[in-house]
Amino acid sequence: MGDPKFSRRSYDTPSHPWQGERIKAEVVLVNQYGLKNKTEVWKAQSVLRNFRKQSRELQARLRSGDAQAKIEADALLNKCSKIGVLPVEGATLNDILTLSEENILSRRLQTLVFEKGMASTVGQARQMIVHGHIFMNGHRVTIPGYIVTRYEESSIMYDPASPFNDEMHPMRISAEQAAANIELKASKEAEEAAKKAAEARADAEEAGITADDAANQEGDH
């Protein structure tokens, strides 16, 4: 169980200290999402790794006819849907295996504050949260890495006592920039969807599955 005064680390560090490609990829994520350090990348990777592990284990149990596995699979899919990394309906355990670190990082409070147009940069979003300018569900939240659920997302706002409530505040973002942030997010989502579709087509071609085969399988069902 461990001593409550000395809590266990909630994430895994890389198995090798020097891997050039991994380090470059981590630096890109740190800059893109305005993270404090690589530890926050490792935390997202650990969350993702746990989801994938559960998905693989549950798929194996479902194939063996385990009734309890169906209940646990639904709970896992509901959890992923609740935090916004999977759609509300139609998701499967295989979809969890296609998730990336970006899916987890995009649900951080810091990222959503920036995407909602409440901050001009993702770095400013972090500063505003840490300094207590952001409210969510009627409470001040000062943790930039907090994973926001779909239900909580609509309640993100400025602290009623914050000077940022003044539209004339010199650090307030313009409506044009807020619209540009939303457009950029939509563009990235479309690009990611196209990338996944291309990977799926490549996998199907490698396996020798044609579009006609897929249509026939859907017709059989």
Side-chain angles (χ1 to χ4, degrees), residues 99-149:
L99 295 176
S100 64
E101 296 92 338
E102 287 89 340
N103 294 113
I104 305 297
L105 294 172
S106 66
R107 298 304 303 172
R108 300 172 75 252
L109 177 60
Q110 177 183 356
T111 306
L112 292 176
V113 167
F114 170 65
E115 291 179 347
K116 281 179 171 289
M118 300 173 69
S120 57
T121 66
V122 71
Q124 185 192 20
R126 184 182 190 92
Q127 185 182 51
M128 292 170 64
I129 295 168
V130 172
H131 289 186
H133 291 286
I134 300 300
F135 251 42
M136 187 170 64
N137 283 340
H139 301 280
R140 183 181 294 112
V141 183
T142 58
I143 304 173
Y146 179 83
I147 300 298
V148 181
T149 65

Side-chain angles (χ1 to χ4, degrees), residues 3-212:
D3 194 315
K5 293 183 179 179
F6 303 98
S7 58
R8 296 181 180 178
R9 189 172 59 195
S10 60
Y11 60 92
D12 297 324
T13 56
S15 58
H16 194 283
W18 174 253
Q19 293 171 320
E21 293 300 321
R22 174 184 58 78
I23 292 174
K24 289 179 182 178
E26 289 174 348
V27 169
V28 170
L29 291 175
V30 168
N31 294 332
Q32 179 180 351
Y33 291 96
L35 307 180
K36 182 178 180 180
N37 50 43
K38 294 179 183 178
T39 297
E40 297 187 339
V41 176
W42 299 336
K43 287 181 179 179
Q45 290 173 341
S46 295
V47 171
L48 183 61
R49 192 178 300 114
N50 184 42
F51 284 160
R52 287 174 174 172
K53 179 182 178 183
Q54 291 182 64
S55 175
R56 288 192 295 268
E57 291 177 350
L58 287 169
Q59 289 190 63
R61 290 170 57 190
L62 286 171
R63 285 193 292 270
S64 65
D66 188 343
Q68 177 63 24
K70 178 65 170 62
I71 299 175
E72 295 179 18
D74 290 341
L76 178 60
L77 291 172
N78 287 337
K79 180 178 181 179
C80 291
S81 173
K82 182 179 179 181
I83 64 175
V85 296
L86 286 181
V88 176
E89 296 180 355
T92 66
L93 292 175
N94 281 331
D95 293 328
I96 295 178
L97 301 179
T98 65
L99 295 176
S100 64
E101 296 92 338
E102 287 89 340
N103 294 113
I104 305 297
L105 294 172
S106 66
R107 298 304 303 172
R108 300 172 75 252
L109 177 60
Q110 177 183 356
T111 306
L112 292 176
V113 167
F114 170 65
E115 291 179 347
K116 281 179 171 289
M118 300 173 69
S120 57
T121 66
V122 71
Q124 185 192 20
R126 184 182 190 92
Q127 185 182 51
M128 292 170 64
I129 295 168
V130 172
H131 289 186
H133 291 286
I134 300 300
F135 251 42
M136 187 170 64
N137 283 340
H139 301 280
R140 183 181 294 112
V141 183
T142 58
I143 304 173
Y146 179 83
I147 300 298
V148 181
T149 65
R150 291 181 186 273
Y151 170 76
E152 296 170 326
E153 186 174 352
S154 61
S155 68
I156 299 175
M157 58 182 289
Y158 292 118
D159 182 340
S162 171
F164 281 95
N165 277 306
D166 183 359
E167 293 185 0
M168 300 304 294
H169 192 285
M171 295 300 291
R172 279 284 295 263
I173 185 174
S174 66
E176 292 78 9
Q177 192 168 358
N181 290 344
I182 295 174
E183 185 177 351
L184 179 61
K185 179 182 179 183
S187 175
K188 287 182 178 179
E189 290 177 347
E191 183 179 345
E192 184 177 350
K195 181 180 178 182
K196 288 183 178 180
E199 291 175 351
R201 285 195 298 269
D203 291 340
E205 291 175 359
E206 185 176 351
I209 300 175
T210 65
D212 293 336

